Structure formats: C-alpha cells, structure tokens
Amino acid sequence: MENDFLNQAKEELTEYGRSVGEVGKLRLVGIISRVLGLFLLILTIVLCALAVFTFAAVAIIDILSEFMSVWAASLIVGSTYLILLLVAILCRRPLFINPFIALLTKQIKTEEELRLKTIEAEHQVEVQQVRMTCQVENVVREFDFYVSLFSRIRQAIKRLLSLKKK
C-alpha cells in the first residue's frame, strides 16, 4: 500500500512538474517572440531606412528630376518610403512575431494559439494541484483513521488488562 501511494505521489509530482514546465515554456516563448519581434522590427526599419533611402532615393530622385523639379521628386520618394515604413509597423505581427512563435514552438503558429495553449497548460497545472491536494488530504485522513484506530485498540487493551487485574 505504501509503495502504491509513493508511486502515485511520484507520478502526480512528475505530472505537476511537467505542467508547470509547459506553462513556463509557453510564457517564455511569448516573451522571447515579442522581444525578438520588436528587435527585428527595429532592425528592419533601420536597415530599410539606411539602405533604401541611400541607394534608391538618389537614383529615383535623379530620374524624376528630368520630368519635374528636384524637390517634388524628393517629396514623392520620401512619402513612398514613409508608407512602406507604416506598412511594416502595422504588419509587425504577421511579419515578425508570428514567425518567431512558429519557429520556437513548431506547433503554434500565431499569438492567439500561443495564448490558448498557455491557458490550457495553466489549467493542467491547476488540475495537478487539485489532484495533489486531494491525494495529501486522503493520506492525512487515512493516517488519522489509523491513529484513531490504534488509540482505540490501545484503550481497549488497557481496559481489558485493568479488568483482568481486578
């Protein structure tokens, strides 16, 4: 009986540990994906601004200056790049965050799926906590029962011995 209890307690603790580990892993994936997503967004914006503005802007302004004034050509090119920058900022989740979530978890593709998996893992942790609590309560109840039974048997033996002496 003791081995069964110990094995069951060991299994419960192992399952609880796995559940807690899964919650931690999913939360870590969420944090890392956001940090890496933001880092890549900033890096992309900086590289886009440097490379595109440097190489393409001069060439396009030079071409457009043949048909209009240089300041008008510069205004058109600048506004085009601002629109591209705005699109990168607005589409940061599908462009940056979701690919990292998919890369780090291999099964989860979006932030919503990650959130649902995290809730599911947290639920598993709660279920394991309830199971362990019930297991401990059962052991305490069983221990109390045996202590009570032992004390009653001891009292009964004392009474029998005291009756025999009289």
Side-chain angles (χ1 to χ4, degrees):
M1 183 174 137
E2 288 180 22
N3 286 336
D4 290 339
F5 169 71
L6 291 176
N7 288 335
Q8 188 175 4
K10 180 181 170 186
E11 289 173 15
E12 294 290 329
L13 285 172
T14 303
E15 191 64 32
Y16 178 72
R18 279 193 204 116
S19 298
V20 169
E22 186 69 19
V23 167
K25 176 186 158 193
L26 292 173
R27 286 185 179 169
L28 185 65
V29 166
I31 291 168
I32 289 173
S33 66
R34 286 182 187 272
V35 169
L36 288 176
L38 288 174
F39 173 74
L40 284 178
L41 176 66
I42 292 169
L43 182 66
T44 302
I45 290 170
V46 169
L47 289 178
C48 181
L50 290 176
V52 174
F53 279 120
T54 302
F55 297 114
V58 174
I60 293 171
I61 290 171
D62 188 43
I63 292 170
L64 288 176
S65 66
E66 292 180 19
F67 303 104
M68 61 183 73
S69 64
V70 174
W71 69 268
S74 298
L75 188 62
I76 291 172
V77 170
S79 62
T80 302
Y81 290 132
L82 285 177
I83 290 172
L84 288 175
L85 185 66
L86 184 64
V87 168
I89 291 171
L90 291 176
C91 297
R92 70 181 178 272
R93 279 198 175 132
L95 291 176
F96 304 109
I97 295 173
N98 291 344
F100 275 104
I101 290 173
L103 178 70
L104 293 172
T105 61
K106 296 180 183 163
Q107 297 171 345
I108 303 169
K109 303 294 183 212
T110 64
E111 250 185 314
E112 290 77 28
E113 287 181 44
L114 178 65
R115 197 173 302 115
L116 289 175
K117 287 285 189 181
T118 303
I119 290 170
E120 182 179 322
E122 287 172 348
H123 175 69
Q124 286 294 72
V125 167
E126 290 173 2
V127 166
Q128 292 304 321
Q129 283 176 333
V130 168
R131 283 183 183 166
M132 286 176 26
T133 302
C134 289
Q135 196 71 8
V136 168
E137 287 174 355
N138 285 339
V139 168
V140 168
R141 248 187 259 122
E142 194 171 322
F143 180 76
D144 287 343
F145 171 75
Y146 286 124
V147 167
S148 172
L149 181 66
F150 178 72
S151 68
R152 286 182 184 179
I153 290 172
R154 196 183 78 193
Q155 287 176 358
I157 291 173
K158 277 185 179 180
R159 285 185 199 143
L160 285 175
L161 290 175
S162 68
L163 287 177
K164 279 188 173 183
K165 286 183 182 180
K166 289 184 181 180

